[in-house]
């Protein structure tokens, strides 16, 4: 039961962050995806390139090969060059990474959660490896959301509880009966 709940929960968490990133990117003009504040910051397109590279490396043959694949060139994920230089190319790379992740998660059995896998020759249980990525990806999704919000300024549509709306949001939540559910169950169905 715990293993089933865990797998269902992490799938929902990953999906939540995927959708959060997509809703931020949707608000931007294509050229805004390639804006970099300075030489030390990454554009949203570069962050997407890194996320996709990480996902493809970590989740391809997840149980049988090291998560840092020989074919991955992590440093190139951070160069400013981007094939296609358009929103469609960025989203294609985004989707490729997420599809790889969800395919691997969907193939996992409960009994495999305590198996040992390796990332750069460091052993992790499958649970630890999942949790590692569940911490890594939201870090970058947060960067995307923050950057998108800065680029949109006053035209930004909030992706969470809007400013000065906490009282009404909480009032709505507390007006309902207590129930066990994942916080994302109705958030994206509006």
């Amino acid at each position: 039961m715990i293993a089933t709940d865990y797998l269902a929960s992490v799938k929902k968490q990953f999906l939540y962050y995927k959708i959060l990133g997509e809703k931020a990117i949707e608000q931007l003009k294509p050229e805004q995806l390639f804006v970099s504040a300075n030489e030390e910051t990454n554009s949203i397109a570069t962050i997407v390139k890194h996320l996709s590279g990480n996902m493809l490396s970590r989740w391809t043959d997840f149980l049988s090969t090291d998560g840092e694949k020989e074919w991955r060139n992590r440093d190139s994920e951070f160069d400013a060059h981007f094939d296609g230089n358009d929103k469609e190319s960025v989203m294609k790379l985004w989707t490729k990474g997420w599809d790889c992740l969800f395919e691997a998660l969907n193939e996992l059995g409960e009994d495999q959660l305590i198996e040992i896998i390796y990332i750069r020759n460091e052993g992790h249980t499958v649970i630890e490896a999942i949790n590692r990525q569940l911490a890594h990806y939201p870090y970058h999704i947060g960067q995307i959301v923050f950057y998108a919000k800065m680029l949109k300024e006053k035209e930004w549509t909030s992706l969470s509880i809007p400013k000065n709306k906490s009282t009404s949001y909480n009032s709505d939540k507390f007006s309902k009966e207590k129930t066990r559910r994942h916080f994302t169950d109705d958030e994206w169905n509006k």
Side-chain angles (χ1 to χ4, degrees):
M1 169 111 170
I2 291 175
T4 303
D5 288 349
Y6 173 77
L7 283 170
S9 180
V10 296
K11 288 175 190 177
K12 287 180 181 184
Q13 286 290 138
F14 278 121
L15 182 60
Y16 170 76
Y17 286 106
K18 176 184 182 284
I19 292 171
L20 195 66
E22 289 169 354
K23 287 185 174 281
I25 290 170
E26 282 174 12
Q27 295 187 50
L28 298 175
K29 296 175 185 166
E31 61 273 12
Q32 290 176 307
L33 296 175
F34 301 92
V35 171
S36 182
N38 57 50
E39 289 183 26
E40 296 303 315
T41 60
N42 297 308
S43 68
I44 289 172
T46 299
I47 296 168
V48 168
K49 187 167 44 165
H50 168 60
L51 279 169
S52 183
N54 180 281
M55 289 175 182
L56 293 171
S57 183
R58 295 292 184 268
W59 299 98
T60 299
D61 302 324
F62 178 65
L63 295 174
S64 60
T65 62
D66 194 283
E68 187 65 18
K69 304 296 186 281
E70 290 181 17
W71 44 258
R72 182 183 185 200
N73 183 351
R74 184 182 180 281
D75 292 337
S76 71
E77 294 166 13
F78 295 99
D79 67 29
H81 176 74
F82 197 93
D83 293 334
N85 280 342
D86 57 43
K87 198 171 200 172
E88 184 178 319
S89 298
V90 172
M91 294 313 294
K92 186 175 182 179
L93 202 54
W94 173 269
T95 300
K96 186 176 180 180
W98 285 104
D99 285 351
C100 184
L101 176 151
F102 284 114
E103 183 178 324
L105 284 177
N106 288 333
E107 291 176 1
L108 278 178
E110 296 173 19
D111 57 326
Q112 295 172 309
L113 293 176
I114 57 170
E115 287 185 23
I116 302 297
I117 63 122
Y118 293 88
I119 301 172
R120 297 185 181 105
N121 277 343
E122 296 175 346
H124 298 63
T125 64
V126 168
I127 290 172
E128 291 169 333
I130 291 170
N131 291 346
R132 177 177 173 162
Q133 300 317 114
L134 197 49
H136 181 201
Y137 302 154
Y139 168 81
H140 289 302
I141 301 299
Q143 291 173 325
I144 290 170
V145 171
F146 183 75
Y147 218 158
K149 189 174 181 178
M150 283 180 27
L151 290 166
K152 290 299 287 186
E153 296 179 13
K154 292 178 183 174
E155 296 175 13
W156 176 254
T157 301
S158 179
L159 302 178
S160 62
I161 303 168
K163 279 185 177 183
N164 301 315
K165 300 291 182 184
S166 295
T167 302
S168 61
Y169 182 85
N170 286 340
S171 184
D172 177 59
K173 290 290 184 181
F174 284 114
S175 71
K176 298 173 182 161
E177 285 190 43
K178 286 183 180 180
T179 182
R180 185 175 185 279
R181 57 185 297 146
H182 196 272
F183 79 98
T184 63
D185 285 346
D186 61 6
E187 292 299 313
W188 302 114
N189 297 324
K190 294 175 183 176

